Each structure stands twice: as C-alpha cells, then as structure tokens.
Amino acid sequence: MRSTMIFFALLAVSSLGAPVCAQPAKSTAAPANAQVYFIWPHDGSVIVNGKFWVRMGLRNMGVAPKGTGSPATGHHHLLVNTALPAMTEPIPNDRNHLHFGAGETEARVELPPGKHRLQLLLGDKDHRPHNPPVYSKPITVVVR
C-alpha cells in the first residue's frame, strides 16, 4: 500500500513539470460547394512581356481580408510553379506563394519567360487552408 502511495505521489510530481502540448489551430470550415477559379488567364494563355493581370473568382463563399473571421470567407493565394502546401499549416509566404491578404480579387503579376504552372488556394483569416480546402485546378501559361 505504501509503495502504491509513493508511486502516485511521484507520478503527480513528475507531471507538474511536463510541457503542455499546444493544440494545432483548427481549419476554418468551408461550404462543400465552394469553388475558387481563374477568370483570367485561361489555361494555355500566351503572355507577351511577362506582365499580366490575374483575375480570381470565388463561388459560394465571400472574400475578406486576412484577420477577418467572418464565416464562409477567405482570401486568395496564388501558387506559382509549386504544388499545394500542407493543408494543416499556414500557407507559406514566398515568391511561389503570393498572398492577397487585403482581399484582392485581381493582381498584376510579372513572370519570366517560359512555361509556368498557376493554381489558386483560398486561405482563412490566419492564411490556413479551409476544411475542406478550396483550391482551383492548376493552369499553365507561357510567357514570351
């Protein structure tokens, strides 16, 4: 009996200094019928001089700036020459993951000559993909 009491006392004391594991942030819910898509450019478009407007569309959700936690809203991210990121982490912010956190639905983009893969991914107020994730089909553009 005494050894049982000592065991539980040691267990209680040892757990006091145990680190608390942070819970991962939950993804914001998205309607199952939400769609993000390119208005322009179209798949296979040839772009002259590398500067062009990307126009982004969204159905069954609303566009809102980063930090806005309204239900069924998000903001656009343009993925350039990269695959979809992890759906459980914030979307990276680099030259391959362009953020439009002010709620933009169009943006002037410049790409070097060559073939480029573009894809849209909607992010929530914290730049995380929604659940389920809302992303477009990838398209290809050629810059001359």
Side-chain angles (χ1 to χ4, degrees):
M1 167 100 162
R2 181 179 169 154
S3 62
T4 304
M5 288 176 50
I6 292 172
F7 171 76
F8 284 115
L10 288 173
L11 182 63
V13 169
S14 67
S15 67
L16 289 177
V20 176
C21 295
Q23 294 292 326
K26 289 190 172 190
S27 297
T28 302
N33 62 350
Q35 294 178 332
V36 63
Y37 58 93
F38 287 97
I39 297 171
W40 176 257
H42 301 290
D43 190 29
S45 291
V46 176
I47 310 296
V48 179
N49 295 326
K51 292 182 184 179
F52 61 101
W53 284 94
V54 173
R55 292 189 170 87
M56 303 162 274
L58 181 62
R59 280 192 192 105
N60 301 316
M61 285 185 75
V63 175
K66 67 181 177 183
T68 304
S70 300
T73 63
H75 62 278
H76 294 286
H77 296 82
L78 176 63
L79 310 181
V80 180
N81 299 324
T82 191
L84 289 167
M87 295 297 156
T88 56
E89 300 292 324
I91 300 165
N93 189 3
D94 56 33
R95 65 185 179 154
N96 298 103
H97 302 85
L98 307 180
H99 288 236
F100 300 105
E104 300 97 316
T105 57
E106 60 181 28
R108 185 95 163 145
V109 174
E110 184 172 359
L111 296 173
K115 189 174 183 179
H116 300 280
R117 179 184 187 274
L118 305 177
Q119 190 167 19
L120 294 171
L121 173 60
L122 200 68
D124 70 6
K125 66 182 181 68
D126 298 319
H127 300 283
R128 292 181 178 277
H130 291 79
N131 184 16
V134 181
Y135 55 90
S136 70
K137 294 188 304 184
I139 66 168
T140 301
V141 297
V142 177
V143 175
R144 295 210 169 123

